Amino acid sequence: MKVILKCTRNSKQILKRFHSKDAKNLIKQHTEISRDHLTPEIALHLITQNCQLWHSHPDTCPFIDPFWAFYWPGGQVLSRYILDNKELFEGKTVIDIGAGCGATSIACSLVDAHHIIANDIDNVACECIELNSELNKTSVTTSAVNLLGGNDLECDILLLGDMFYDEITTNTISDWLDHIGSCPTNILIGDPGRHSFKNHPMKNKLEKVGTYDLPASCVSENNGFTYASVWQYRPS
Ligand SMILES: C[S@@+](CC[C@H](N)C(=O)[O-])C[C@H]1O[C@@H](n2cnc3c(N)ncnc32)[C@H](O)[C@@H]1O
């Protein structure tokens, strides 16, 4: 399988093709394995302050928008909730939309979910998820298909970790959830109170099921968010 990584050098965009193995090596080269987050049970390849890329000019980054290299506050609390509520996930089929580094999917595998699809439209994220899943000896299937807007999701549980990061995406997901039908039966969202989420009309259809303080590393990376919550979608 080939993945495409966009490489920016001297502000000029060059398209580079890497084999999956090369992408994984590049991820390993530019990240460190970290457990400094809310779910230390899970080891993750992340770009941290100890990595050269953290301190480098964006033009030298071999990846375009490597969201997968960070473990976002919404994902951290969602994964914590999963690890703390094993019985809700055991034996279930789960789709994790915008899986990023894959931690939330990995949490599902650790609590014995039956089948987990880690979905992210960024092919490099899927490579990173495979690396992280292997690192934690878990079983996760990756998919880079854009599922947003589609119907008939064959799963029991849909997970959305920190997916309400801008207004357009928030509206797109909100409209989608309104038309998604009765399957999946359980939709869970992790969010630290992002602007486009906290004032959205969709909030009337959500019930808060958990709130967690964020660890210092996450607070310093995320503009002062100090806690984040898990919400369950409950349309009337
Ligand atoms: C803010 S990150 C959250 C990652 C992870 N859930 C977490 O909380 O750590 C958002 C992720 O959503 C992915 N994404 C954006 N639009 C998407 C879509 N339509 N379908 C699937 N993934 C998408 C991005 O590539 C990115 O990895």
Side-chain angles (χ1 to χ4, degrees):
M1 180 174 60
K2 283 189 172 181
V3 292
I4 297 172
L5 303 186
K6 286 181 182 170
C7 179
T8 60
R9 288 207 190 285
N10 303 325
S11 302
K12 200 175 165 196
Q13 291 208 335
I14 306 161
L15 264 180
K16 281 197 166 183
R17 282 178 184 278
F18 290 91
H19 286 282
S20 170
K21 198 171 134 220
D22 297 335
K24 286 192 170 78
N25 283 337
L26 207 53
I27 291 167
K28 282 188 200 165
Q29 187 188 326
H30 287 287
T31 58
E32 73 162 354
I33 294 174
S34 172
R35 293 180 185 270
D36 184 13
H37 46 71
L38 199 56
T39 57
E41 298 92 326
I42 302 172
L44 297 167
H45 289 273
L46 297 174
I47 295 176
T48 72
Q49 298 193 23
N50 300 325
C51 301
Q52 206 188 337
L53 267 189
W54 181 282
H55 307 279
S56 307
H57 190 278
D59 276 0
T60 64
C61 178
F63 313 108
I64 287 277
D65 296 337
F67 294 122
W68 49 265
F70 303 90
Y71 189 9
W72 297 79
Q76 294 204 21
V77 294
L78 192 50
S79 307
R80 186 69 265 155
Y81 178 81
I82 292 162
L83 292 171
D84 292 348
N85 292 277
K86 178 180 163 78
E87 67 286 354
L88 300 179
F89 300 88
E90 220 168 353
K92 297 288 198 286
T93 297
V94 180
I95 301 182
D96 178 15
I97 303 279
C101 65
T104 305
S105 294
I106 290 166
C108 290
S109 183
L110 290 175
V111 298
D112 298 327
H114 169 62
H115 186 208
I116 304 128
I117 297 162
N119 170 252
D120 200 296
I121 50 170
D122 183 345
N123 281 308
V124 185
C126 292
E127 298 293 338
C128 183
I129 293 164
E130 284 173 21
L131 267 183
N132 285 332
S133 179
E134 200 178 312
L135 186 62
N136 292 279
K137 301 183 174 53
T138 54
S139 172
V140 166
T141 303
T142 57
S143 153
V145 173
N146 190 355
L147 298 175
L148 285 194
N151 284 322
D152 301 327
L153 287 184
E154 289 187 11
C155 67
D156 304 304
I157 302 174
L158 186 70
L159 300 173
L160 294 154
D162 229 314
M163 285 301 287
F164 300 98
Y165 49 82
D166 67 30
E167 225 161 279
I168 293 174
T169 314
T170 301
N171 288 333
T172 304
I173 295 175
S174 166
D175 291 348
W176 182 48
L177 295 183
D178 277 344
H179 297 101
I180 209 168
S182 57
C183 182
T185 47
N186 196 0
I187 299 172
L188 292 166
I189 291 165
D191 184 89
R194 295 199 184 280
H195 182 73
S196 52
F197 177 76
K198 70 177 177 195
N199 299 317
H200 197 279
M202 170 182 58
K203 286 292 284 292
N204 295 331
K205 299 171 192 163
L206 301 180
E207 183 178 329
K208 197 187 282 184
V209 293
T211 294
Y212 299 86
D213 288 333
L214 296 167
S217 56
C218 188
V219 173
S220 73
E221 278 179 27
N222 289 280
N223 296 328
F225 286 124
T226 54
Y227 65 89
S229 300
V230 178
W231 302 81
Q232 188 172 34
Y233 186 74
R234 290 196 178 164
S236 47

